[in-house]
């Protein structure tokens, strides 16, 4: 089945589903002789058992280290000999294989990508090497105060849900991962009916679909579908964590459970994305101007609200001098509460809209960006139509709806504090 979808900015994304279940998205962009492809699989750390956290990351790290036909060195030489790029990554809600090359070499690179998808071997020596490197990375993270405080916040907010843990996993889970675990994961989720291929560049839709069909068309989907996930329900129970640590600054983080990106919560999602831009995006943001520039409280201050398949979280944070910890905590809470107590002005809302939509447009300029964003939307189950829907939803946010949404989500916060014991213990939060 094939359909053509018209998007804003005169982009046409062609959507095709092959007989074996592979979804192919093609955005023709002849302006440069480059083709980028993003191959998404509906898996990632959200699909990991809690006691195997870090599995997706390890699969991504080892997947390019050998196939039934080529060694790790041969794969690297094949990519570098034509000046192409190829990489793998694992996120919370997807697994990704990325490639970019000149148009003439795209069939060769797509063939190599198909080989990695179908016949990666996960050599034992490579698994062991990447496991050691991952453990080093986890230990390095444990020495970063902000990361420690944020990890504690996530663990408190999400409990047994996979979102509680870093994508790298933990020392205890990664130490136990085996080559067999990687192979089982690969066998379970790497299948044609779980694959979305998003291609952008100097290639026609017919050419792209034909090349995918030639390379992957004979890949048969297993008769048994991927099992449905049963994940713990995330419920709100705001608590405070204090992590005594002799640091030169205190880390102050406030967290609020926030909606997923599903269509049922689109209006709330858009309003919170806009409030995130207003609060914490850039040097003109409310938090930066009020708490750093005017009051001199912050070494660093910002906010973020990631897009997630399941319940997300809205976070504001600050790094401050230990002596200012209580004032910083109060200042962050005051700025969030302000969004609930009174509507923003029309000028404030419009400025935030202009910034958010301008940055969004700039994020869709290159072939790699186009392949990424459309493939990501399709993988999340939103469809590429979400590109236009999101922009319309942002445009429709009013000061009153933003205040109403803030009032529903910004109640009592989860709090994570890290710093010298005398600075973070027994603090008052109004």
């Amino acid at each position: 089945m094939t359909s053509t979808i018209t998007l804003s900015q005169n982009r046409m994304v062609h959507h095709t589903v092959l007989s074996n279940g592979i979804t192919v998205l093609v955005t023709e962009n002849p302006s440069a002789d480059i083709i980028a492809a993003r191959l998404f699989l509906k898996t990632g750390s959200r699909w990991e058992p809690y006691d195997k956290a870090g599995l997706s990351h390890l699969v991504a790290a080892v997947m390019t280290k050998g196939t039934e036909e080529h060694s790790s060195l041969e794969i690297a030489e094949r990519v570098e000999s034509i000046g192409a790029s190829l990489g793998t990554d694992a996120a919370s809600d997807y697994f990704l294989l990325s490639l970019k090359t000149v148009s003439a070499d795209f069939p060769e690179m797509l063939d190599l990508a198909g080989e990695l998808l179908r016949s990666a071997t996960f050599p034992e020596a490579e698994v062991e090497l990447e496991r050691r490197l991952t453990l080093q990375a986890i230990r390095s993270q444990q020495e970063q105060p902000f990361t420690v405080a944020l990890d504690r916040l996530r663990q408190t907010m999400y409990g047994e849900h996979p979102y509680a843990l870093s994508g790298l996993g933990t020392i205890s889970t990664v130490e136990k991962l085996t080559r067999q675990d990687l192979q089982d994961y690969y066998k379970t989720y790497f299948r044609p009916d779980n694959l979305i291929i998003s291609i952008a560049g100097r290639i026609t839709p017919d050419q792209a679909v034909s090349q995918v069909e030639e390379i992957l068309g004979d890949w048969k989907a297993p008769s048994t579908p991927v099992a449905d996930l049963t994940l713990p329900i995330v419920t709100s129970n705001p608590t405070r964590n204090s992590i005594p640590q002799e640091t030169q600054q205190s880390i102050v983080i406030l967290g609020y459970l926030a909606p997923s990106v599903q269509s049922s919560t689109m209006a709330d999602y858009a309003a919170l994305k806009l409030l995130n831009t207003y609060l914490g995006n850039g040097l003109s943001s409310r938090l930066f101007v009020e708490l750093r520039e005017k009051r001199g409280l912050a070494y660093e201050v910002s906010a973020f609200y990631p897009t997630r398949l399941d319940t997300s979280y809205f976070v504001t944070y600050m790094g401050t001098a230990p002596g200012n910890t209580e004032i910083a905590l109060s200042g962050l809470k005051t700025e969030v509460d302000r969004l609930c107590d009174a509507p923003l002005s029309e000028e404030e809302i419009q400025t935030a809209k202009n910034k958010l939509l301008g940055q969004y447009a700039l994020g869709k300029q290159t072939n790699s960006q186009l392949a990424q964003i459309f493939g990501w939307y399709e993988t999340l189950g939103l469809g590429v139509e979400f590109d236009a829907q999101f922009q319309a939803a942002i445009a429709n946010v009013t000061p009153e709806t933003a205040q109403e949404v803030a009032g529903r989500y910004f109640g009592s916060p989860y709090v994570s504090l890290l710093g010298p014991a005398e600075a973070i213990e027994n603090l008052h939060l109004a």
Side-chain angles (χ1 to χ4, degrees), residues 156-190:
T156 304
M157 297 180 79
Y158 285 104
E160 295 295 312
H161 192 285
Y163 288 172
L165 302 178
S166 162
L168 293 179
T170 67
I171 296 288
S172 61
T173 61
V174 172
E175 283 180 337
K176 297 174 185 175
L177 292 176
T178 66
R179 177 175 182 254
Q180 188 63 53
D181 290 327
L182 274 64
Q183 291 175 317
D184 290 345
Y185 177 98
Y186 182 75
K187 182 179 179 181
T188 300
Y189 297 109
F190 284 64

Side-chain angles (χ1 to χ4, degrees), residues 208-353:
V209 171
S210 176
Q211 290 175 20
V212 173
E213 182 77 63
E214 180 179 351
I215 293 167
L216 294 169
D218 64 344
W219 191 12
K220 303 299 183 185
S223 57
T224 304
V226 175
D228 292 335
L229 279 181
T230 302
L231 296 175
I233 296 174
V234 178
T235 57
S236 182
N237 182 28
T239 56
R240 179 187 297 194
N241 290 292
S242 297
I243 309 167
Q245 194 173 112
E246 288 305 314
T247 54
Q248 294 183 338
Q249 63 174 298
S250 292
I251 305 298
V252 180
I253 308 180
L254 304 184
Y256 306 83
L257 291 175
S260 71
V261 71
Q262 300 306 310
S263 58
S264 60
T265 56
M266 169 63 105
D268 290 3
Y269 171 83
L272 289 175
K273 280 292 186 184
L274 194 61
L275 290 175
N276 175 71
T277 298
Y278 169 77
L279 264 188
N281 188 334
L283 304 184
S284 63
S285 67
R286 174 77 184 187
L287 293 179
F288 191 92
V289 171
E290 293 297 321
L291 300 182
R292 178 183 167 100
E293 294 298 291
K294 291 184 178 180
R295 300 178 65 182
L297 291 174
Y299 299 128
E300 179 183 11
V301 62
S302 192
F304 60 86
Y305 168 40
T307 298
R308 291 285 184 266
L309 270 174
D310 297 329
T311 301
S312 186
Y313 63 157
F314 190 108
V315 170
T316 64
Y317 67 91
M318 184 191 302
T320 190
N324 290 332
T325 304
E326 186 164 12
I327 301 173
L329 177 61
S330 175
L332 277 179
K333 180 70 161 49
T334 296
E335 291 302 331
V336 176
D337 288 347
R338 175 178 172 271
L339 301 175
C340 307
D341 296 339
L344 300 182
S345 68
E346 290 286 353
E347 181 181 0
E348 288 173 321
I349 281 283
Q350 191 59 51
T351 298
K353 288 180 180 180

Side-chain angles (χ1 to χ4, degrees), residues 108-120:
E108 180 180 353
M109 289 302 299
L110 185 62
D111 182 67
L112 178 58
E115 188 178 316
L116 292 169
L117 289 172
R118 300 175 70 172
S119 64

